[in-house]
Amino acid sequence: MKFPKLSSPAVLSPMSGVTDIAFREMAKKYGAGMTYTEFVSSTAITRGSGRSLRMIQTSSIEKPVAVQLYGNNVEEVIEAARFVEEKFDVIDVNCGCPVWKVIKTGAGSAMLNNPELIGKFVNKLASAVNKPVTVKIRIGIDDKRINAVEVAKIVEENGGAAIAIHGRTQKQGYSGKANWEIIKQVKEKVNIPVIGNGDVFTPEIFKERLEYSGVDAIMIARGALGNPFVFNQINNYLKKGDYEKKSGVEQLFEYLELIRKYHIPFAAIKTRAPSFTKGIVGGAEIRTSINKCTSFEELITSLKGVWSF
Ligand SMILES: Cc1cc2nc3c(=O)[nH]c(=O)nc-3n(C[C@H](O)[C@H](O)[C@H](O)COP(=O)(O)O)c2cc1C
């Protein structure tokens, strides 16, 4: 199955605890070429966990949208993928997460230890579902074991529709810089679409990395935190060479409306809302008031009190 054609090369990266339906709808509204759910455990989906089912809610405007699954057991990942595939345009497998809780089970970036296994995984999954299967990787386990090109070729040979690469190793976590040279090498070596990722925070960097690496698209994670409007900025910069800014608080109010629309539990708001207020005048005061609130209505009233617009 072919990877969908994107309206923009700027894609919202999967972010656990961030890319809920409300955030994804905003990113899409502001021009993201594609959106990803946060990673969802295949085990949790097959067990019908309410929290995981909430993570895979999708918005009607959100097309194409990918679900990102993780798991160490291909049969279970297939079962989860079959359960969700009707709602999604792409099934993505997480082979990049460096978190111990995930890698100790052999899932996430631990799979980079065994490219042949990734190949078998993709092969079985791609033949079991009716949607394109993609993989998101890191460039390798550590400096001595950089194998992104090898993994990408194996993914392609086994029916993967695209590959996304965060230009860091598992060992690096978030330290150092994303290695776009390796991402460029992957793009040169495979024919399936390649999505580059890592340290793209501004429209200027986006354009520079796109041109340097020749990738088909770039995923943005931290650059969209608190600023899903970044997709509008990137698209405008690519088209006309300039872009506008939109205040974090204005974006926060929009986000809260969507949170209410999609009945996201209030507890989640407390961890998600503060990113919109980073670096703005009065941000600390707003974060304190977010912390004190116990209901959605209380939060809106309190925000309107500290921020009049
Ligand atoms: C809060 C947060 C949560 C993340 N959760 C996921 C996830 O669920 N799945 C995934 O593949 N990557 C996840 N990532 C990694 C990002 O998708 C991305 O690969 C990484 O942050 C590098 O991109 P950036 O430099 O644009 O932030 C997460 C990153 C952040 C900051």
Side-chain angles (χ1 to χ4, degrees):
M1 299 281 293
K2 275 196 116 175
F3 190 69
K5 210 171 157 32
L6 307 185
S7 56
S8 158
V11 167
L12 175 66
S13 211
M15 277 186 283
S16 176
V18 178
T19 55
D20 56 30
I21 183 172
F23 194 89
R24 297 196 317 264
E25 182 166 317
M26 272 182 86
K28 184 69 203 179
K29 178 180 147 199
Y30 288 130
M34 182 170 173
T35 49
Y36 283 70
T37 67
E38 59 191 288
F39 73 160
V40 194
S41 151
S42 300
T43 314
I45 290 187
T46 56
R47 289 186 186 157
S49 137
R51 194 168 154 264
S52 296
L53 296 179
R54 217 170 24 244
M55 290 176 186
I56 53 164
Q57 274 186 288
T58 54
S59 146
S60 57
I61 70 158
E62 193 185 18
K63 282 239 157 244
V65 53
V67 61
Q68 190 187 62
L69 300 174
Y70 75 95
N72 59 1
N73 175 335
V74 70
E75 301 306 333
E76 197 172 62
V77 175
I78 289 174
E79 191 184 336
R82 281 196 171 139
F83 182 72
V84 299
E85 69 172 316
E86 206 185 312
K87 295 166 63 176
F88 291 94
D89 305 295
V90 168
I91 312 282
D92 185 65
V93 181
N94 180 308
C95 297
C97 178
V99 172
W100 174 242
K101 188 180 90 177
V102 172
I103 60 176
K104 74 172 181 203
T105 68
S109 61
M111 291 174 77
L112 297 174
N113 280 309
N114 192 345
E116 294 301 328
L117 181 72
I118 297 181
K120 286 188 187 140
F121 219 94
V122 171
N123 197 302
K124 280 194 168 178
L125 183 57
S127 15
V129 295
N130 291 312
K131 294 291 165 72
V133 169
T134 62
V135 173
K136 179 168 179 273
I137 63 170
R138 285 189 171 229
I139 55 174
I141 295 289
D142 57 31
D143 274 0
K144 304 248 157 22
R145 286 174 288 174
I146 290 181
N147 60 357
V149 171
E150 182 196 354
V151 172
K153 282 184 177 165
I154 289 178
V155 167
E156 179 173 41
E157 282 159 16
N158 283 282
I163 183 146
I165 307 137
H166 176 191
R168 288 187 172 82
T169 61
Q170 176 198 73
K171 196 166 171 212
Q172 263 183 296
Y174 279 90
S175 66
K177 283 191 192 146
N179 185 334
W180 278 82
E181 170 56 30
I182 303 286
I183 296 173
K184 181 176 156 64
Q185 285 173 17
V186 171
K187 175 60 198 167
E188 284 162 3
K189 292 285 165 22
V190 294
N191 294 310
I192 51 173
V194 174
I195 306 172
N197 170 240
D199 300 346
V200 174
F201 294 101
T202 64
E204 291 84 351
I205 303 176
F206 187 97
K207 186 164 187 275
E208 196 278 319
R209 296 289 186 271
L210 194 68
E211 286 169 358
Y212 169 75
S213 65
V215 291
D216 302 272
I218 292 180
M219 278 178 165
I220 317 279
R222 289 166 298 168
L225 269 181
N227 185 30
F229 188 70
V230 73
F231 295 101
N232 172 293
Q233 297 177 316
I234 292 169
N235 291 338
N236 276 330
Y237 187 70
L238 293 178
K239 265 187 225 129
K240 351 177 256 180
D242 64 6
Y243 56 92
E244 290 169 4
K245 287 197 171 144
K246 194 178 190 72
S247 94
V249 173
E250 207 179 315
Q251 294 188 62
L252 175 57
F253 274 101
E254 254 181 78
Y255 177 64
L256 292 176
E257 281 309 321
L258 288 166
I259 286 267
R260 184 146 66 172
K261 175 173 159 193
Y262 289 117
H263 307 292
I264 292 174
F266 184 73
I269 297 173
K270 291 204 166 190
T271 56
R272 292 165 201 209
S275 65
F276 289 89
T277 66
K278 286 223 171 91
I280 63 169
V281 180
E285 204 185 348
I286 296 174
R287 285 192 289 280
T288 309
S289 79
I290 293 172
N291 260 328
K292 283 189 193 144
C293 294
T294 54
S295 73
F296 187 80
E297 285 64 31
E298 206 186 310
L299 176 61
I300 294 279
T301 314
S302 132
L303 283 178
K304 286 190 172 151
V306 285
W307 188 269
S308 42
F309 75 105

